[in-house]
Structure formats: C-alpha cells, structure tokens
Amino acid sequence: MVRYLGLPPVSRKLSIPDCKALIEKIVAKINHWSCNYVIISVERLLTWNADIRAIWCERNGRVFGKAHRFVRYDSRNESVFQNYPNNMHNRKATKGSSSPTQPSNSNKNKGELIPYEKAWSWQKQIVKQKKSLLQEHEDCPDTLIVLQHNPVYTMGTGSSENYLNFDIKEAPFDVYRTERGGEVTYHGPGQLVMYPIINLRNHKMDLHWYLRTLEEVVIRVLSSTFSIKACRIEGLTGVWVGNQKLAAIGVRVSKWITYHGLALNVTTDLTPFSWIVPCGLRHRQVGSIKGLLQEFQSSTQYAEAVKPFPDDYQLIDISYKSLIKEFSEVFNLEIHQKAITVPEFWREDH
C-alpha cells in the first residue's frame, strides 16, 4: 500500500531545529499508517530541499543525494529515504513475451523501480533454467528484461574500489559486486536497463560481435527516435555522443548464455555519477537523452523533429518502445507483449 503526504509551502527558511522537528512529525505520522511506502511531496518546500540531506544523514546515517520533488520513505527500513523522481511514482509495471525466429520469451518492466538484487537473482535463475534446457537438448528461448532500478552502484568482477569517491562502508546507496565485466557504474530512476538473457548459439557465438550489436541497438534508438548522432569509441565499450557516455554495457557469458547487459540514461539524475569514476574513465563525462535534447531544443533541426518537448514520463515511454523495437530488429526477434500487474510480477519465481 502507498500513501501520499503533501507538505505545505513555507515563506521563510526553516531553522535546523525546525527541520528536525518536521522530520520527527512526519516519521511519527507515517508510523501510524499501515503501509510500507510513503511518497512525500516537497515540490514547493524549497528550504526542505536545501537542508534535508544533512539532517537525515545525521538521524539515520544515510546520504541520499540530490533532492527531487518526491522522496520515498520505506517504513520497513528507516535508513532508506531515497530519491523518487517526479512523474515516476504512479507508474505500473508491465511484462511481456516475445518470439524470435526461434522460440523465445521476453520479460519487461519499465515503470516500477525494481531492487537490483531482485533483478540479479532473477537473471541467474533464468540462466540456470536455460542451461538445463540445453543439457536436455530442448529448445532454449531467448529472454529480455527491461526495467528501472532503485538507486544502486554495481561493480564488475575485477572492479577497483579506487574508483569510488566514498568509503564503501558508508556508501550513499547499496553497492553490489557482480560477475559482469567492467568497472563501477550507477543505476537509478530515469535509466532504462536492458538485460538480454539469450543463447548466442541462436545468433553468433562471438562476444565481440555481441557487445558491438548491443551498442548498435542504442545507436539506432538515438538516431531513429531522437535524431541524436551517437557513436562508438575505439578501445572502449558503450555508446557516446561527443565526450558524453549515454549507455554503459557490462555483460557475462556462461556456456554462451548471456546475462547482465546495458543501461541507457534517459531522464537520469546524473549527480550520483559524480560520487564515482564511471566505468573507470576519469576524463570522460556521462550524459542523458534528456540533457542532450535540452541542449538541442533551441535548434531548428531539433524543433522540427520533436514538438513539443516531451516530459520525463514521455521520454521514458518513447525510449522504452524504441529500445524494444530496435533490439527486435537487430537480433531478428518478433515480440509479442502481454501486460501483467505489479503483484503478479513480484510473485514470479523465474
């Protein structure tokens, strides 16, 4: 159950004691509600945005970064008081199935924020199932998961903690060391993460080809949907516009079954990237589709291509549909979608 708490605007700057008192009142009120999550609207309370980080850190020992219009409070874990982006609190999860030229299925959840650990576990279960199918000489369908994560940092197998600009014991968000390749990166709201769990025997048994093909998917999305000319940079993995990296890629392949995948910054708050050295590249920047479109907004070419300027909700939806379309074409898949409810998604054991 989710409930909403609207805070009134104030005409003066709140003192630190007043802010602390306000927090305690909010927590006391929330504790009387029988619900797990509360969305707190602070859209017009500008002084709240200025002081809340330090105060909540002092109270619970957590830093949650740049404030948004909406922040989420998890009553099951008081230490979690995370950013919650505007227009994302009322989205519903969807899931679908796909059929390529060979039997396959696809699972997609673009709106609901999925904890990284849940999605990671799900991937490993699917990989295990596919290996069993191959061992029994049965058809091994491809699977695609598209979703957004709660704020989290992930590291590759050989990632160095030297690329963290904080003490890992006092990390702003959870940090997971995974089996994928590459260095540390950030996942969060406004970023579409695509996890293809596919049998490369159905495509091409070549890891280099697979990485370049994932890049091609994103390059096509940016070009066909947003008129953004993106490129690869020799010697680096990912998709770039100038010196800005819009999509990071890190994968794992086991017995030619792929998992992990790519992350495309759409409307992502890029602040958490400043607390790490993204992908271990110190002299490169991170960008987003929204940021680039805002830069291009005044140009005649952009104005003709996109009218009016899409909001965050629309950008996520447009990018999601384009990713699915381009992925299906590049990997020669035919996708059939089937929507499910959020509770059904969370009951899935695979």
Side-chain angles (χ1 to χ4, degrees):
M1 178 179 177
V2 177
R3 293 192 65 170
Y4 297 88
L5 176 63
L7 301 180
V10 295
S11 58
R12 62 179 178 85
K13 181 176 176 61
L14 294 179
S15 66
I16 297 299
D18 285 346
C19 282
K20 289 182 178 180
L22 180 58
I23 291 173
E24 296 304 327
K25 287 181 180 179
I26 292 171
V27 171
K29 189 175 185 69
I30 290 170
N31 287 339
H32 281 88
W33 290 344
S34 55
C35 59
N36 291 331
Y37 293 98
V38 177
I39 307 304
I40 304 175
S41 172
V42 293
E43 181 175 358
R44 297 163 64 187
L45 192 55
L46 300 181
T47 53
W48 170 277
N49 287 355
D51 296 326
I52 191 65
R53 291 191 294 274
I55 297 170
W56 195 267
C57 178
E58 179 182 327
R59 185 183 191 280
N60 286 327
R62 297 282 293 188
V63 180
F64 60 88
K66 183 178 179 182
H68 286 275
R69 290 183 176 183
F70 291 89
V71 291
R72 187 182 68 181
Y73 174 87
D74 184 344
S75 63
R76 296 173 300 183
N77 181 0
E78 275 198 355
S79 68
V80 180
F81 197 92
Q82 296 175 329
N83 295 331
Y84 206 90
N86 191 21
N87 293 328
M88 293 303 297
H89 61 283
N90 59 355
R91 300 292 302 282
K92 292 183 178 180
T94 60
K95 181 180 176 181
S97 61
S98 68
S99 299
T101 52
Q102 301 177 11
S104 71
N105 61 77
S106 172
N107 301 286
K108 302 179 287 297
N109 185 302
K110 72 179 189 302
E112 186 77 3
L113 298 182
I114 305 300
Y116 184 82
E117 189 174 18
K118 169 72 176 180
W120 187 17
S121 174
W122 197 18
Q123 290 179 74
K124 289 185 285 188
Q125 290 176 26
I126 295 173
V127 170
K128 184 177 179 180
Q129 291 174 358
K130 292 187 185 305
K131 288 181 178 179
S132 296
L133 290 173
L134 290 174
Q135 191 172 10
E136 296 169 5
H137 304 289
E138 297 184 12
D139 290 336
C140 181
D142 293 333
T143 301
L144 178 65
I145 304 172
V146 183
L147 47 72
Q148 295 180 71
H149 285 306
N150 301 90
V152 65
Y153 291 115
T154 67
M155 303 174 69
T157 304
S159 293
S160 171
E161 292 185 13
N162 293 333
Y163 295 127
L164 305 179
N165 297 329
F166 52 78
D167 185 339
I168 196 169
K169 296 179 181 178
E170 299 179 358
F173 308 114
D174 289 336
V175 180
Y176 291 95
R177 186 177 288 276
T178 74
E179 321 83 344
R180 66 164 175 79
E183 290 290 344
V184 63
T185 194
Y186 165 78
H187 300 303
Q191 180 191 77
L192 287 175
V193 182
M194 176 179 281
Y195 294 126
I197 309 175
I198 65 177
N199 179 10
L200 289 181
R201 295 174 180 83
N202 295 338
H203 303 276
K204 188 173 183 179
M205 296 167 66
D206 183 329
L207 181 57
H208 179 81
W209 170 86
Y210 178 59
L211 293 173
R212 303 292 81 79
T213 306
L214 289 179
E215 292 169 345
E216 181 64 23
V217 170
V218 177
I219 290 172
R220 290 190 183 193
V221 167
L222 295 174
S223 176
S224 64
T225 306
F226 300 106
S227 299
I228 295 175
K229 185 176 181 180
C231 66
R232 302 175 179 87
I233 294 181
E234 187 174 356
L236 300 176
T237 299
V239 177
W240 305 78
V241 177
N243 196 42
Q244 297 183 40
K245 188 172 189 178
L246 266 66
I249 297 175
V251 303
R252 173 79 173 184
V253 178
S254 177
K255 296 184 177 180
W256 296 110
I257 303 295
T258 71
Y259 58 119
H260 295 284
L262 67 84
L264 174 62
N265 296 323
V266 183
T267 64
T268 324
D269 175 11
L270 302 179
T271 304
F273 284 104
S274 66
W275 303 334
I276 60 174
V277 180
C279 303
L281 302 174
R282 295 189 182 277
H283 304 295
R284 300 284 182 174
Q285 299 175 357
V286 176
S288 69
I289 292 176
K290 180 180 179 179
L292 288 174
L293 294 184
Q294 288 175 334
E295 292 179 12
F296 300 158
Q297 191 173 11
S298 60
S299 72
T300 303
Q301 180 180 5
Y302 173 75
E304 292 176 353
V306 182
K307 293 181 180 179
F309 188 82
D311 61 22
D312 285 9
Y313 179 96
Q314 292 170 324
L315 278 176
I316 288 289
D317 194 55
I318 292 168
S319 301
Y320 164 79
K321 291 176 179 177
S322 184
L323 270 173
I324 298 300
K325 174 181 178 294
E326 299 299 342
F327 183 88
S328 66
E329 291 181 0
V330 170
F331 283 90
N332 195 24
L333 302 173
E334 181 182 353
I335 296 179
H336 303 279
Q337 298 189 36
K338 178 183 178 182
I340 67 166
T341 64
V342 175
E344 286 175 330
F345 174 83
W346 283 98
R347 285 198 297 268
E348 287 291 329
D349 293 325
H350 60 278

